[in-house]
Amino acid sequence: MGTEFETIEARITSMLPQLQSECGILQRMVYKNKNQHRRSSYFQRLLKVRRDLRLLQSANMEELVSSCLLVIKGDRPKQKLHLLGSLKRRKCDGDKHNFMERLLGAARLLAEMVEPILKAASEVSVLFAQSFFMGFSVTIMALLARLRVLVQQILLDVVSLFNMVSSLSISKQSIKITHNGIEVFRDFYPVSDDFVTLECVWKSDKFILLERKHKTNDESHVEDSGGNVSVQTSDVNYNSIESFLGDDQLFHERVEADVVAKEDPNHIDDMNTDLLTGSSQIDDKETRYSDQDTTKAFINESSQEAGLPASSRSSTNDKLQSCPKKVAFVSIKNLTLMRHKS
Amino acid sequence: MVTAGTKKPQVSVPTPPPPPWKINLQKYAESRALELHSLQSIIENRVNSDYRSQKNKRRRTTVFDNQIARKGCRRKRQKLGIIDKALAKSGLEENHQKKLPRCVHRRYELKKNPENGFCTSGDVTKRLRTHVWHAKWFAMTKLWGYHLPLCLQ
């Protein structure tokens, strides 16, 4: 998986400049020879090839490919979150299309470009047979041959990139963001929508693009959201308060927590989810990308218990002053364990 | 607690270099030999090795050349000289139109000779077949109904 996308990245970043240079040469040839050849049928075919190449240039392939690679690599977590969040936007919301839809359009264009190239080449080969305009026809044949190979290879790479990104956008994941020494974990929940998978099939002399639509199961979505909580608690390593501070206020909090733990054994999960709202308050900008449902659940739980978020805020302030690089979370399981040991 | 986020870097596409002013045709084609061979095999399969241009796609390729049209007009003028009435008409037309150069004019006069018999002039005297040449070198006179060169001996 890793080596595969690295190969694709290296290949496609080397091919796109080549495609641009070939496109420049073709436009120059068309410009120079337009007066002499413009009525002939082979030149009309060439103009169609040029039109398709201009469309492809306006699609801005470099930007789309770099967006896909950011999502797959994950070396810039904020941009990855931004791009994955943009996928949740409704399709054709307003005027902007998200990058996956633009990539799908580019793939369709690449699949349709091969046929005019082959027709133009067959018309120019008639010139070859008659040995008319040999310099012009040799140059155009060499140009079209390179264009055909480049277009088909870019189509294959774009299709595999599209499939990688769509499989990533379906699965839920947690992304770690480090900013000024503070580590924050953001969770990405997929939308239960239909998603598209692309496939290329070779027919006689070119690749044909096939699009398949799939549906995500609602049951598996519910199970995933249930399993997410347990996975999340196991991933993050929390530190207890006693290791940082030795104030008398903590004893009072210990007594309160002990009473609550005795009353409700399920309340521990609620405390964990309550602390997550504290983390969301620290970085307000990232809260836009989270689910509305989860934020509503957090708000309801926090409204039920008014006293606890105040204490968590004060504790975070104290921690930041003493040790700025530590994680800004406190788990209550460790507290109960420490109390049992003592 | 909320800190300002860093600005996201915009993806800037570099300007492509301008296309080359001159192309070495042989090197350009040889560097793409593999692609050319594969393309050639695909086209051969498509066309079934029949590279003739279709008749409905042929166009007239000499429309832009005006000289041939003018030559056609010249040929039409030459045909007018056979008949006497046509000769008179062509004479009038020549006077109204711009004058032809003298050598061209004499060439036309020479071509107007009939195969047999004599050509009659305006005042019904007969002319020899060599009238054009003799008129150039001798003084002409009208004797016995003929237009004859006058010898001094």
Side-chain angles (χ1 to χ4, degrees):
Chain A
M1 186 65 183
T3 55
E4 183 185 353
F5 91 85
E6 282 175 0
T7 307
I8 289 170
E9 179 190 2
R11 192 192 297 143
I12 203 168
T13 49
S14 69
M15 279 194 298
L16 286 175
Q18 283 186 31
L19 184 67
Q20 274 193 347
S21 67
E22 297 291 325
C23 185
I25 291 171
L26 178 65
Q27 291 192 13
R28 194 77 194 159
M29 289 291 292
V30 164
Y31 174 74
K32 282 289 186 180
N33 292 285
K34 191 163 192 177
N35 275 331
Q36 190 172 15
H37 297 275
R38 67 184 144 193
R39 296 185 188 182
S40 55
S41 62
Y42 56 88
F43 203 77
Q44 298 297 316
R45 300 287 185 189
L46 272 188
L47 292 181
K48 287 181 171 57
V49 173
R50 182 181 72 154
R51 175 197 63 185
D52 286 340
L53 281 175
R54 281 185 173 177
L55 268 181
L56 190 67
Q57 277 188 345
S58 67
N60 207 351
M61 286 295 293
E62 289 89 2
E63 183 188 348
L64 294 176
V65 167
S66 63
S67 299
C68 289
L69 292 172
L70 276 178
V71 171
I72 294 168
K73 284 181 181 177
D75 53 353
R76 298 184 195 175
K78 279 189 178 180
Q79 291 191 357
K80 180 176 179 178
L81 261 185
H82 174 64
L83 290 170
L84 283 173
S86 68
L87 292 181
K88 289 185 174 180
R89 208 184 308 151
R90 182 177 292 177
K91 291 183 179 179
C92 300
D93 189 4
D95 288 333
K96 289 186 178 179
H97 297 255
N98 56 20
F99 74 100
M100 288 293 276
E101 286 162 0
R102 289 168 58 197
L103 192 66
L104 179 59
R108 286 175 183 158
L109 176 64
L110 285 163
E112 288 183 3
M113 275 176 73
V114 183
E115 183 67 23
I117 288 173
L118 291 177
K119 284 187 176 178
S122 64
E123 297 270 346
V124 173
S125 65
V126 172
L127 278 190
F128 251 124
Q130 298 173 356
S131 70
F132 285 173
F133 304 109
M134 282 307 285
F136 173 78
S137 60
V138 168
T139 309
I140 292 296
M141 283 294 282
L143 194 72
L144 292 176
R146 175 61 65 89
L147 272 180
R148 185 187 73 88
V149 171
L150 284 176
V151 162
Q152 297 208 13
Q153 188 62 56
I154 289 172
L155 173 63
L156 287 178
D157 291 342
V158 160
V159 162
S160 55
L161 280 182
F162 186 92
N163 290 332
M164 285 179 190
V165 173
S166 66
S167 67
L168 273 179
S169 66
I170 290 163
S171 63
K172 64 174 178 59
Q173 49 198 308
S174 67
I175 298 165
K176 179 180 174 183
I177 296 172
T178 304
H179 184 71
N180 289 334
I182 300 168
E183 289 181 351
V184 177
F185 287 89
R186 296 298 311 277
D187 293 329
F188 175 76
Y189 295 94
V191 182
S192 61
D193 276 344
D194 302 342
F195 63 98
V196 176
T197 311
L198 297 180
E199 189 177 352
C200 278
V201 177
W202 177 262
K203 277 193 177 180
S204 70
D205 51 10
K206 60 182 177 180
F207 281 105
I208 291 176
L209 185 70
L210 298 178
E211 299 178 19
R212 294 181 179 176
K213 290 193 174 181
H214 301 272
K215 287 188 175 181
T216 53
N217 294 320
D218 291 336
E219 295 176 357
S220 63
H221 183 66
V222 173
E223 289 175 359
D224 287 339
S225 64
N228 184 41
V229 176
S230 63
V231 169
Q232 189 176 6
T233 52
S234 65
D235 279 340
V236 179
N237 293 321
Y238 295 107
N239 294 315
S240 63
I241 293 175
E242 288 182 355
S243 63
F244 295 99
L245 299 171
D247 292 339
D248 290 337
Q249 294 176 358
L250 293 179
F251 289 100
H252 183 68
E253 289 179 357
R254 286 182 192 175
V255 173
E256 287 182 355
D258 193 0
V259 171
V260 170
K262 286 180 181 178
E263 288 179 356
D264 291 328
N266 292 325
H267 193 66
I268 297 170
D269 293 334
D270 294 334
M271 299 289 285
N272 287 324
T273 56
D274 189 13
L275 289 173
L276 289 177
T277 59
S279 67
S280 66
Q281 288 172 0
I282 292 170
D283 290 329
D284 288 338
K285 288 190 175 180
E286 278 87 13
T287 53
R288 310 178 214 166
Y289 308 123
S290 64
D291 271 333
Q292 293 180 355
D293 295 333
T294 54
T295 53
K296 288 179 181 178
F298 289 155
I299 291 167
N300 290 326
E301 289 172 356
S302 64
S303 64
Q304 289 174 0
E305 300 166 354
L308 289 174
S311 63
S312 65
R313 287 175 188 173
S314 62
S315 63
T316 54
N317 287 324
D318 293 333
K319 277 184 286 181
L320 288 176
Q321 290 175 358
S322 62
C323 301
K325 293 185 178 178
K326 296 292 182 178
V327 183
F329 287 97
V330 175
S331 70
I332 298 179
K333 286 183 179 179
N334 290 327
L335 277 179
T336 56
L337 289 177
M338 292 297 291
R339 193 167 298 108
H340 284 301
K341 287 180 181 178
S342 64
Chain B
M1 290 299 298
V2 177
T3 57
T6 57
K7 293 181 180 179
K8 297 172 184 176
Q10 294 180 356
V11 179
S12 64
V13 179
T15 306
W21 192 255
K22 287 185 178 179
I23 291 174
N24 188 338
L25 187 60
Q26 190 171 359
K27 288 183 181 178
Y28 190 79
E30 281 179 357
S31 65
R32 291 160 173 80
L34 285 179
E35 290 102 350
L36 267 171
H37 279 298
S38 64
L39 181 62
Q40 180 66 31
S41 65
I42 286 174
I43 291 168
E44 195 170 346
N45 288 326
R46 279 193 169 213
V47 184
N48 290 324
S49 303
D50 184 8
Y51 292 103
R52 290 175 292 177
S53 65
Q54 302 171 14
K55 285 189 176 180
N56 59 352
K57 289 188 176 178
R58 294 179 187 175
R59 296 283 181 267
R60 291 177 299 165
T61 56
T62 57
V63 176
F64 61 92
D65 194 359
N66 204 12
Q67 292 179 1
I68 298 173
R70 278 184 265 138
K71 287 182 180 179
C73 292
R74 290 182 183 179
R75 290 174 186 174
K76 289 180 182 178
R77 287 183 189 175
Q78 294 172 5
K79 296 177 182 178
L80 294 177
I82 296 173
I83 312 168
D84 294 339
K85 294 180 181 179
L87 195 152
K89 289 180 181 178
S90 66
L92 289 177
E93 287 176 0
E94 285 176 5
N95 287 327
H96 286 295
Q97 292 177 359
K98 61 180 182 180
K99 288 186 177 180
L100 292 170
R102 189 172 178 81
C103 58
V104 175
H105 183 73
R106 285 193 172 276
R107 198 178 300 152
Y108 284 163
E109 293 286 337
L110 191 59
K111 286 178 181 176
K112 288 174 185 175
N113 280 331
E115 294 292 330
N116 295 316
F118 297 97
C119 181
T120 59
S121 64
D123 51 355
V124 199
T125 56
K126 298 173 184 176
R127 287 183 179 179
L128 303 178
R129 288 181 55 84
T130 59
H131 177 80
V132 170
W133 187 83
H134 276 104
K136 188 175 181 181
W137 299 105
F138 293 93
M140 308 297 288
T141 183
K142 296 173 183 176
L143 283 176
W144 310 299
Y146 285 89
H147 220 131
L148 296 173
L150 188 61
C151 299
L152 293 179
Q153 290 179 1

